[in-house]
Amino acid sequence: MRQRQSSDKQVLAWAKQGFPPGTEAFAYKDNVLAVENVLLPVIAASVGTPFYVYSATVICRNYRAFKAAFAGLDILVAYAVKANSNQAVLKLLAGAGAGADIVSGGELRRALAAGFHPQKIVYSGVGKTAEEMDFALQSRIGCFNVESPAELQLLSARAQALGAEAPVSLRINPDIAAGGHAKIATGKAENKFGIPQAEALQAYALAARLKGIKICGLDVHIGSQIEQAEPFARAFAFAAGLVQDLRRQGFSITHIDIGGGLGIAYQAGAKPPLEPGAYAALLRQYLGGLGLSFIAEPGRFITGNAGALVTKVLFVKPTAAKNFIIVDAGMNDLIRPTLYDAWHEIVPVVAPPAGEPCYQSDIVGPVCETGDYLALDRQMPLMPAGALLAVLSSGAYGAGMAGNYNSRLLVPEVLVEGGRFAIIRPRATYDSLLAQDKIPDWL
Ligand SMILES: *Cc1c(COP(=O)(O)O)cnc(C)c1O
């Protein structure tokens, strides 16, 4: 073959540096990759490929580590359902004591069905509909995070129509740049999220005037995949100042929702990003003395590194430019690489022998889009057709963002705990795919 072999004594990044910190659920046992105590080829033989797999132990461990970092504070850890909304994952977290941060009526139904206590559910998002508000009011959720005066007006109207009272936090946009990519930064003035800080006092005054609205908090979610302390410190300092202003004006602020956004490591050899302990220390430093309770909304931190997407090599296409490793998972299954330029470590399920030569390779899917790739320009050993690859750090914003483009079926999800595994979403079927469409009788 004409692959360009890399010059130095190539050692795969992950082989030299280990897997990204946080992915400890995945480890080789006699050269075969396992999640906890289950070998990935065993799952592949049972469900086929591609599939998502998650470690229940690591999901719970991450939740507990996050919660423990805030020990002594009155905090609700509300898992951001959108990161991974499988009912089994939600039930696991509800059982561990978590709350839920939801962004749609669909997620509210998921959260309630999985057993989250309604009072532990907070509802975020810029575009809640009247129907969604009604259902959330009837369900008596803990708090609405409101993002505009227009939303406040509608929520007030819906609450009055139902004879209910809506507990409200206003999400204020602190104009802070944060997040691993422009598409997941939410806290800059030019982002659609939150109420501009210059209008904060006015918005609280409106909330106080409106019937059916009960002001209880302030929300400052600033973005996702934040790896440094600095943006959080600025957001917390901003929130502390605003709480004091609001209290001086007579508004009763009892809690601060600090949002989500704590980053995780995606690259082998990466320095672990800001840890929950340091994050909690910032919270204590800036907001600890104000007699507040807290809500945090971690998503990625809980599930991201607990999961992987397992895919099979279909073909290898060597070209003059590079090798293309064509696999059976595509951008419709995992959109992060092409949407966010995200890096996922991709490792062979059967470890190649030490010293195996590597080639510059793109790992691409079958979807008819140039943007359909899982990784670009990676050093990979020769992968025979049929070999399995694990795309690490795919437990958050993986399956939940998947779609049917190219009429591809949604892939199964599998949950592992110790030595057992369960299919928590079966592979979709072509019958169900076709049954979604209806042909008018005049055709
Ligand atoms: C997406 C989102 C989160 C979760 O973000 P992570 O980076 O996954 O922790 C939390 N709160 C809100 C409002 C969000 O939109």
Side-chain angles (χ1 to χ4, degrees):
M1 284 205 234
R2 291 176 291 126
Q3 296 97 346
R4 292 198 314 191
Q5 187 173 342
S6 41
S7 51
D8 56 348
K9 284 254 167 298
Q10 189 61 53
V11 185
L12 293 168
W14 52 268
K16 190 166 63 185
Q17 297 166 323
F19 290 0
T23 59
E24 290 75 16
F26 296 86
Y28 289 104
K29 295 191 194 306
D30 295 329
N31 290 328
V32 179
L33 194 60
V35 51
E36 299 199 28
N37 296 323
V38 180
L39 297 173
L40 289 176
V42 172
I43 302 175
S46 160
V47 302
T49 58
F51 64 91
Y52 277 99
V53 62
Y54 315 120
S55 159
T57 306
V58 170
I59 291 173
C60 285
R61 186 198 69 187
N62 290 345
Y63 167 73
R64 281 195 291 267
F66 190 95
K67 173 92 182 166
F70 295 88
L73 294 171
D74 179 358
I75 187 165
L76 170 67
V77 177
Y79 168 66
V81 169
K82 74 176 194 277
N84 183 324
S85 54
N86 187 287
Q87 290 302 119
V89 170
L90 297 184
K91 177 148 197 223
L92 189 65
L93 288 165
D101 169 49
I102 57 155
V103 293
S104 73
E107 286 192 353
L108 177 51
R109 283 164 177 84
R110 281 190 175 280
L112 292 170
F116 287 97
H117 193 284
Q119 285 294 311
K120 288 186 172 181
I121 297 177
V122 296
Y123 190 174
S124 303
V126 293
K128 307 175 187 79
T129 66
E131 293 74 19
E132 289 175 319
M133 288 176 180
D134 285 0
F135 183 53
L137 286 164
Q138 286 157 345
S139 304
R140 300 186 181 284
I141 65 161
C143 194
F144 291 83
N145 290 338
V146 172
E147 304 214 14
S148 64
E151 184 190 338
L152 258 183
Q153 304 267 15
L154 180 59
L155 184 58
S156 163
R158 296 318 310 160
Q160 289 177 75
L162 296 175
E165 188 172 60
V168 160
S169 279
L170 293 188
R171 178 169 176 186
I172 306 300
N173 184 323
D175 194 16
I176 291 168
H181 188 273
K183 285 182 180 154
I184 51 174
T186 65
K188 281 292 284 174
E190 63 263 33
N191 300 137
K192 71 177 176 180
F193 296 100
I195 294 166
Q197 48 170 304
E199 294 161 31
L201 292 179
Q202 238 177 302
Y204 275 94
L206 172 65
R209 280 199 306 278
L210 288 172
K211 294 207 177 65
I213 300 287
K214 178 172 183 277
I215 296 175
C216 48
L218 165 66
D219 171 28
V220 288
H221 175 72
I222 53 171
S224 200
Q225 186 53 18
I226 300 168
E227 299 178 38
Q228 314 290 339
E230 195 259 350
F232 287 122
R234 288 179 52 202
F236 295 169
F238 165 80
L242 185 54
V243 166
Q244 285 160 318
D245 284 353
L246 289 167
R247 284 177 169 172
R248 271 194 293 274
Q249 307 273 327
F251 301 112
S252 154
I253 304 296
T254 54
H255 81 254
I256 290 207
D257 185 329
I258 60 172
L262 191 61
I264 62 170
Y266 280 94
Q267 266 182 273
K271 181 163 78 63
L274 182 67
E275 303 212 345
Y279 178 57
L282 290 174
L283 180 98
R284 286 176 219 275
Q285 181 188 340
Y286 288 97
L287 293 163
L290 295 173
L292 292 157
S293 63
F294 299 97
I295 298 174
E297 304 168 346
R300 186 190 314 267
F301 179 85
I302 307 289
T303 51
N305 271 332
L309 172 65
V310 178
T311 182
K312 186 174 74 182
V313 175
L314 298 175
F315 308 104
V316 177
K317 178 157 65 171
T319 72
K322 56 174 76 163
N323 270 3
F324 293 98
I325 299 175
I326 302 165
V327 299
D328 64 359
M331 64 186 280
N332 69 299
D333 304 306
L334 179 66
I335 202 171
R336 297 192 69 260
T338 197
L339 183 63
Y340 304 131
D341 305 312
W343 177 288
H344 285 264
E345 221 50 86
I346 300 185
V347 301
V349 166
V350 176
E356 182 85 349
C358 286
Y359 304 90
Q360 178 139 322
S361 309
D362 285 1
I363 295 133
V364 302
V367 174
C368 294
E369 295 280 343
T370 302
D372 177 32
Y373 55 82
L374 299 176
L376 300 177
D377 294 324
R378 297 294 173 85
Q379 295 298 327
M380 294 293 289
L382 271 190
M383 302 297 308
L388 299 177
L389 295 173
V391 185
L392 300 179
S393 313
S394 305
Y397 307 109
M401 295 181 85
N404 285 123
Y405 186 41
N406 278 208
S407 291
R408 291 166 50 77
L409 298 177
L410 288 185
V411 308
E413 295 175 83
V414 174
L415 189 67
V416 169
E417 188 188 61
R420 61 183 170 179
F421 71 93
I423 298 169
I424 57 174
R425 176 190 285 172
R427 191 179 304 281
T429 65
Y430 289 111
D431 285 344
S432 70
L433 183 77
L434 267 64
Q436 288 169 2
D437 299 348
K438 295 286 171 244
I439 298 174
D441 53 15
W442 40 264
L443 263 190

